Amino acid sequence: MIRRPFWIRVFSFALTLLLLWLPLGLSIYFFWGEGGAASFVNMGLLYLIFMLLLRVWGQRVHHQRSPFMFYGLKGGWNFGRDALLGWLAGVFLVALLFAIEGLLGWVSWQGLSDRFGLVLLDGVLTGVAVGFAEELLFRGWLLQELELEYQPWFALLLNGLIFAALHYLHPLEVILATWPQFFGLALLGWILSLSKWVFAGRLGFPMGLHGGLVWAYFGVNVGQLVTYTGVAPEWLTGINGNPIAGLMGVGILILVALGFSYRVATAP
Protein backbone atom coordinates (compact mmCIF):
# COMPACT_ATOMS: atom_id res chain seq x y z
CA MET A 1 0.00 0.00 0.00
CA ILE A 2 1.37 3.43 -1.00
CA ARG A 3 1.12 5.89 1.90
CA ARG A 4 1.50 9.65 1.55
CA PRO A 5 4.33 11.31 3.56
CA PHE A 6 3.63 12.15 7.19
CA TRP A 7 3.47 15.93 6.84
CA ILE A 8 1.02 15.68 3.93
CA ARG A 9 -1.19 13.32 5.95
CA VAL A 10 -1.14 15.63 8.97
CA PHE A 11 -1.89 18.72 6.89
CA SER A 12 -4.72 16.91 5.07
CA PHE A 13 -6.25 15.73 8.34
CA ALA A 14 -6.00 19.17 9.98
CA LEU A 15 -7.42 20.94 6.91
CA THR A 16 -10.33 18.50 6.68
CA LEU A 17 -11.08 18.94 10.37
CA LEU A 18 -11.02 22.73 10.00
CA LEU A 19 -13.29 22.74 6.95
CA LEU A 20 -15.82 20.45 8.67
CA TRP A 21 -15.87 22.50 11.86
CA LEU A 22 -15.62 26.03 10.45
CA PRO A 23 -19.23 26.53 9.24
CA LEU A 24 -20.67 25.34 12.56
CA GLY A 25 -18.06 27.15 14.63
CA LEU A 26 -18.63 30.45 12.85
CA SER A 27 -22.40 30.06 13.21
CA ILE A 28 -22.04 29.64 16.97
CA TYR A 29 -19.71 32.66 17.08
CA PHE A 30 -22.08 34.96 15.16
CA PHE A 31 -25.29 33.92 16.92
CA TRP A 32 -23.94 33.19 20.42
CA GLY A 33 -20.76 35.24 20.73
CA GLU A 34 -17.47 34.04 22.19
CA GLY A 35 -16.32 32.98 25.62
CA GLY A 36 -18.28 31.23 28.35
CA ALA A 37 -20.76 28.59 27.20
CA ALA A 38 -20.20 29.39 23.51
CA SER A 39 -16.49 28.58 23.78
CA PHE A 40 -17.27 25.35 25.66
CA VAL A 41 -19.81 24.25 23.03
CA ASN A 42 -17.42 25.14 20.20
CA MET A 43 -14.59 23.09 21.69
CA GLY A 44 -16.90 20.17 22.34
CA LEU A 45 -18.17 20.34 18.77
CA LEU A 46 -14.62 20.48 17.41
CA TYR A 47 -13.64 17.38 19.36
CA LEU A 48 -16.77 15.49 18.32
CA ILE A 49 -15.92 16.17 14.68
CA PHE A 50 -12.33 15.08 15.40
CA MET A 51 -13.61 11.75 16.78
CA LEU A 52 -15.84 11.17 13.74
CA LEU A 53 -13.07 12.12 11.34
CA LEU A 54 -10.61 9.88 13.19
CA ARG A 55 -12.87 6.91 12.60
CA VAL A 56 -13.24 7.63 8.90
CA TRP A 57 -9.51 8.40 8.60
CA GLY A 58 -8.52 5.08 10.14
CA GLN A 59 -10.87 3.19 7.86
CA ARG A 60 -10.17 4.98 4.58
CA VAL A 61 -6.51 6.00 4.90
CA HIS A 62 -5.10 3.11 6.95
CA HIS A 63 -7.72 0.47 6.09
CA GLN A 64 -8.37 -0.37 9.74
CA ARG A 65 -11.58 -2.18 10.62
CA SER A 66 -11.36 -0.87 14.21
CA PRO A 67 -9.76 2.60 13.96
CA PHE A 68 -10.08 3.48 17.65
CA MET A 69 -8.33 0.26 18.64
CA PHE A 70 -5.66 1.07 16.06
CA TYR A 71 -5.02 4.36 17.87
CA GLY A 72 -4.94 2.83 21.35
CA LEU A 73 -8.52 2.70 22.69
CA LYS A 74 -8.39 -1.02 23.38
CA GLY A 75 -8.02 -3.52 26.15
CA GLY A 76 -11.41 -3.65 27.90
CA TRP A 77 -10.84 -4.17 31.64
CA ASN A 78 -7.09 -3.76 31.14
CA PHE A 79 -7.71 -0.29 29.73
CA GLY A 80 -9.70 0.72 32.82
CA ARG A 81 -7.08 -0.75 35.15
CA ASP A 82 -4.35 1.10 33.29
CA ALA A 83 -6.29 4.38 33.48
CA LEU A 84 -6.80 4.05 37.24
CA LEU A 85 -3.15 3.16 37.79
CA GLY A 86 -2.08 6.14 35.68
CA TRP A 87 -4.41 8.49 37.57
CA LEU A 88 -2.99 7.38 40.91
CA ALA A 89 0.55 7.76 39.56
CA GLY A 90 -0.19 11.32 38.45
CA VAL A 91 -1.62 12.25 41.84
CA PHE A 92 1.36 10.64 43.58
CA LEU A 93 3.89 12.62 41.52
CA VAL A 94 2.20 15.95 42.30
CA ALA A 95 1.90 15.02 45.99
CA LEU A 96 5.55 13.94 46.07
CA LEU A 97 6.69 17.23 44.53
CA PHE A 98 4.86 19.44 47.00
CA ALA A 99 5.65 17.17 49.95
CA ILE A 100 9.38 17.52 49.23
CA GLU A 101 9.07 21.27 48.76
CA GLY A 102 7.09 21.51 51.99
CA LEU A 103 9.73 19.58 53.94
CA LEU A 104 12.42 21.86 52.50
CA GLY A 105 10.44 24.93 53.53
CA TRP A 106 9.91 26.11 49.96
CA VAL A 107 6.11 26.09 50.30
CA SER A 108 3.77 26.42 53.24
CA TRP A 109 0.51 24.49 53.42
CA GLN A 110 -2.77 26.34 53.79
CA GLY A 111 -6.08 25.21 55.22
CA LEU A 112 -8.88 23.79 53.09
CA SER A 113 -11.42 26.31 51.86
CA ASP A 114 -15.17 25.75 52.13
CA ARG A 115 -15.30 25.26 48.35
CA PHE A 116 -12.50 22.70 48.19
CA GLY A 117 -14.89 19.81 47.51
CA LEU A 118 -16.30 21.66 44.49
CA VAL A 119 -12.76 22.46 43.34
CA LEU A 120 -11.88 18.76 43.43
CA LEU A 121 -15.04 17.83 41.52
CA ASP A 122 -14.36 20.49 38.92
CA GLY A 123 -10.79 19.21 38.73
CA VAL A 124 -11.96 15.63 38.11
CA LEU A 125 -14.06 16.75 35.14
CA THR A 126 -11.17 18.84 33.82
CA GLY A 127 -8.65 16.05 34.30
CA VAL A 128 -10.79 13.41 32.60
CA ALA A 129 -11.60 15.72 29.67
CA VAL A 130 -8.01 16.90 29.16
CA GLY A 131 -6.52 13.43 29.67
CA PHE A 132 -8.86 11.78 27.18
CA ALA A 133 -8.85 14.54 24.56
CA GLU A 134 -5.12 15.32 24.48
CA GLU A 135 -3.97 11.71 24.71
CA LEU A 136 -6.23 10.49 21.92
CA LEU A 137 -4.93 13.36 19.80
CA PHE A 138 -1.21 13.28 20.65
CA ARG A 139 -0.44 9.73 21.83
CA GLY A 140 -3.23 8.15 19.79
CA TRP A 141 -3.52 9.68 16.33
CA LEU A 142 -0.32 11.75 16.11
CA LEU A 143 2.10 9.20 17.60
CA GLN A 144 0.68 6.44 15.42
CA GLU A 145 1.07 8.58 12.30
CA LEU A 146 4.66 9.37 13.30
CA GLU A 147 5.48 5.71 13.95
CA LEU A 148 4.24 4.80 10.48
CA GLU A 149 6.82 7.18 9.02
CA TYR A 150 9.86 7.19 11.34
CA GLN A 151 11.83 4.97 13.66
CA PRO A 152 10.11 4.62 17.08
CA TRP A 153 12.51 6.76 19.14
CA PHE A 154 12.57 9.55 16.55
CA ALA A 155 8.76 9.41 16.40
CA LEU A 156 8.68 9.76 20.20
CA LEU A 157 11.07 12.74 20.06
CA LEU A 158 8.96 14.54 17.46
CA ASN A 159 5.76 13.76 19.32
CA GLY A 160 7.01 15.47 22.48
CA LEU A 161 8.26 18.51 20.60
CA ILE A 162 5.00 18.92 18.67
CA PHE A 163 3.02 18.43 21.88
CA ALA A 164 4.98 21.21 23.57
CA ALA A 165 4.91 23.54 20.56
CA LEU A 166 1.13 23.31 20.15
CA HIS A 167 0.71 24.50 23.73
CA TYR A 168 2.25 27.80 22.59
CA LEU A 169 -0.52 28.90 20.22
CA HIS A 170 -0.84 32.17 22.11
CA PRO A 171 0.02 35.86 21.61
CA LEU A 172 3.74 36.64 21.61
CA GLU A 173 3.71 38.19 25.08
CA VAL A 174 2.23 34.99 26.54
CA ILE A 175 4.80 32.85 24.72
CA LEU A 176 7.66 34.97 26.06
CA ALA A 177 6.26 34.78 29.59
CA THR A 178 5.85 30.98 29.58
CA TRP A 179 8.79 29.79 27.45
CA PRO A 180 10.62 28.14 30.41
CA GLN A 181 7.98 25.39 30.52
CA PHE A 182 8.71 24.22 26.95
CA PHE A 183 11.23 21.53 27.93
CA GLY A 184 8.96 20.33 30.74
CA LEU A 185 6.04 19.99 28.32
CA ALA A 186 8.19 18.12 25.80
CA LEU A 187 9.47 15.84 28.56
CA LEU A 188 5.92 15.15 29.70
CA GLY A 189 5.01 14.28 26.10
CA TRP A 190 7.90 11.83 25.93
CA ILE A 191 6.85 10.22 29.23
CA LEU A 192 3.26 9.79 28.03
CA SER A 193 4.48 8.20 24.79
CA LEU A 194 6.81 5.87 26.68
CA SER A 195 3.97 4.83 28.98
CA LYS A 196 1.87 3.89 25.97
CA TRP A 197 4.68 1.61 24.80
CA VAL A 198 5.08 0.09 28.26
CA PHE A 199 1.35 -0.68 28.39
CA ALA A 200 1.19 -2.59 25.11
CA GLY A 201 0.01 0.33 22.96
CA ARG A 202 -3.04 1.06 25.12
CA LEU A 203 -3.93 4.66 25.89
CA GLY A 204 -5.40 3.92 29.32
CA PHE A 205 -2.28 4.67 31.37
CA PRO A 206 -1.24 7.88 29.56
CA MET A 207 -4.84 9.14 29.73
CA GLY A 208 -4.98 8.38 33.44
CA LEU A 209 -1.52 9.80 34.14
CA HIS A 210 -2.28 13.02 32.27
CA GLY A 211 -5.67 13.36 33.96
CA GLY A 212 -4.25 12.62 37.41
CA LEU A 213 -1.55 15.25 37.00
CA VAL A 214 -4.12 17.82 35.89
CA TRP A 215 -6.52 16.97 38.73
CA ALA A 216 -3.90 17.00 41.48
CA TYR A 217 -2.29 20.25 40.35
CA PHE A 218 -5.74 21.79 39.81
CA GLY A 219 -6.56 20.97 43.43
CA VAL A 220 -3.30 22.46 44.72
CA ASN A 221 -3.39 25.55 42.52
CA VAL A 222 -7.08 26.48 42.31
CA GLY A 223 -7.72 25.19 45.83
CA GLN A 224 -4.84 27.40 47.04
CA LEU A 225 -3.36 24.61 49.16
CA VAL A 226 0.15 26.06 49.17
CA THR A 227 1.94 29.38 49.02
CA TYR A 228 5.57 29.76 48.02
CA THR A 229 7.74 31.05 50.87
CA GLY A 230 10.38 32.62 48.65
CA VAL A 231 13.15 30.60 50.29
CA ALA A 232 13.98 28.91 46.97
CA PRO A 233 14.31 30.78 43.66
CA GLU A 234 11.65 30.44 40.95
CA TRP A 235 13.99 28.57 38.61
CA LEU A 236 14.01 25.82 41.23
CA THR A 237 10.31 25.71 42.22
CA GLY A 238 8.87 26.81 38.87
CA ILE A 239 8.66 30.07 36.93
CA ASN A 240 5.34 31.78 37.66
CA GLY A 241 4.45 28.93 40.00
CA ASN A 242 4.42 26.31 37.21
CA PRO A 243 6.19 23.15 38.48
CA ILE A 244 7.24 21.96 35.00
CA ALA A 245 9.03 25.29 34.51
CA GLY A 246 11.30 24.62 37.49
CA LEU A 247 14.25 22.34 38.15
CA MET A 248 12.47 20.37 40.90
CA GLY A 249 9.47 19.45 38.75
CA VAL A 250 11.63 18.73 35.69
CA GLY A 251 13.95 16.61 37.83
CA ILE A 252 11.07 14.37 38.93
CA LEU A 253 9.90 14.07 35.32
CA ILE A 254 13.42 13.08 34.23
CA LEU A 255 13.46 10.27 36.81
CA VAL A 256 10.07 9.04 35.57
CA ALA A 257 11.27 9.22 31.94
CA LEU A 258 14.40 7.21 32.80
CA GLY A 259 12.27 4.59 34.55
CA PHE A 260 9.95 4.17 31.58
CA SER A 261 12.89 4.20 29.15
CA TYR A 262 14.51 1.37 31.10
CA ARG A 263 11.25 -0.62 30.98
CA VAL A 264 10.99 -0.12 27.22
CA ALA A 265 14.65 -0.95 26.58
CA THR A 266 14.58 -4.15 28.66
CA ALA A 267 11.17 -5.39 27.51
CA PRO A 268 11.33 -8.88 25.97
Side-chain angles (χ1 to χ4, degrees), residues 43-57:
M43 290 302 297
L45 179 63
L46 177 62
Y47 204 79
L48 177 61
I49 295 173
F50 166 74
M51 294 280 290
L52 296 174
L53 178 59
L54 192 65
R55 181 179 181 84
V56 175
W57 185 265

Side-chain angles (χ1 to χ4, degrees), residues 10 33 35-36 57 59 61 91 98 148 152 176 181 185 191 199 206 210 237 252 267:
V10 168
W57 185 265
Q59 291 174 335
V61 175
V91 173
F98 285 104
L148 291 171
L176 293 176
Q181 69 178 346
L185 282 169
I191 288 171
F199 285 83
H210 197 154
T237 58
I252 290 177

Side-chain angles (χ1 to χ4, degrees), residues 149-174:
E149 189 81 10
Y150 305 110
Q151 292 297 316
W153 287 99
F154 187 66
L156 178 141
L157 176 66
L158 282 180
N159 183 268
L161 293 175
I162 294 171
F163 173 69
L166 289 180
H167 280 77
Y168 279 81
L169 298 178
H170 298 290
L172 180 60
E173 59 271 18
V174 177

Side-chain angles (χ1 to χ4, degrees), residues 19-264:
L19 292 175
L20 289 173
W21 169 80
L22 202 56
L24 296 172
L26 288 177
S27 298
I28 292 173
Y29 172 76
F30 283 119
F31 290 104
W32 201 349
E34 60 179 334
S39 177
F40 178 79
V41 170
N42 242 333
M43 290 302 297
L45 179 63
L46 177 62
Y47 204 79
L48 177 61
I49 295 173
F50 166 74
M51 294 280 290
L52 296 174
L53 178 59
L54 192 65
R55 181 179 181 84
V56 175
W57 185 265
Q59 291 174 335
R60 298 294 180 87
V61 175
H62 298 302
H63 306 286
Q64 296 292 320
R65 297 181 63 182
S66 302
F68 291 124
M69 291 182 63
F70 176 64
Y71 288 114
L73 293 179
K74 58 184 178 180
W77 285 106
N78 287 335
F79 183 94
R81 179 204 60 195
D82 296 347
L84 177 59
L85 184 61
W87 188 280
L88 294 175
V91 173
F92 171 77
L93 290 175
V94 174
L96 176 65
L97 171 67
F98 285 104
I100 293 173
E101 292 186 346
L103 289 173
L104 293 173
W106 297 354
V107 298
S108 60
W109 291 91
Q110 309 300 303
L112 300 180
S113 68
D114 294 337
R115 297 183 61 256
F116 189 68
L118 292 176
V119 169
L120 288 184
L121 179 59
D122 197 14
V124 167
L125 299 177
T126 303
V128 170
V130 171
F132 181 87
E134 292 200 1
E135 291 314 299
L136 183 57
L137 172 61
F138 288 105
R139 258 59 63 180
W141 171 69
L142 181 61
L143 182 59
Q144 188 72 344
E145 295 290 341
L146 284 164
E147 288 178 326
L148 291 171
E149 189 81 10
Y150 305 110
Q151 292 297 316
W153 287 99
F154 187 66
L156 178 141
L157 176 66
L158 282 180
N159 183 268
L161 293 175
I162 294 171
F163 173 69
L166 289 180
H167 280 77
Y168 279 81
L169 298 178
H170 298 290
L172 180 60
E173 59 271 18
V174 177
I175 294 175
L176 293 176
T178 59
W179 70 265
Q181 69 178 346
F182 184 88
F183 178 70
L185 282 169
L187 184 57
L188 178 59
W190 298 329
I191 288 171
L192 292 164
S193 295
L194 285 166
S195 71
K196 183 186 178 186
W197 290 355
V198 169
F199 285 83
R202 296 188 297 269
L203 282 175
F205 189 90
M207 284 181 172
L209 177 60
H210 197 154
L213 289 169
V214 169
W215 178 64
Y217 182 65
F218 189 95
V220 171
N221 187 39
V222 179
Q224 299 179 335
L225 288 185
V226 302
T227 57
Y228 289 94
T229 61
V231 172
E234 277 196 333
W235 61 263
L236 198 53
T237 58
I239 307 297
N240 296 323
N242 187 343
I244 63 172
L247 186 60
M248 178 62 75
V250 169
I252 290 177
L253 290 181
I254 288 174
L255 292 177
V256 175
L258 290 174
F260 276 129
S261 297
Y262 177 79
R263 285 286 305 275
V264 171

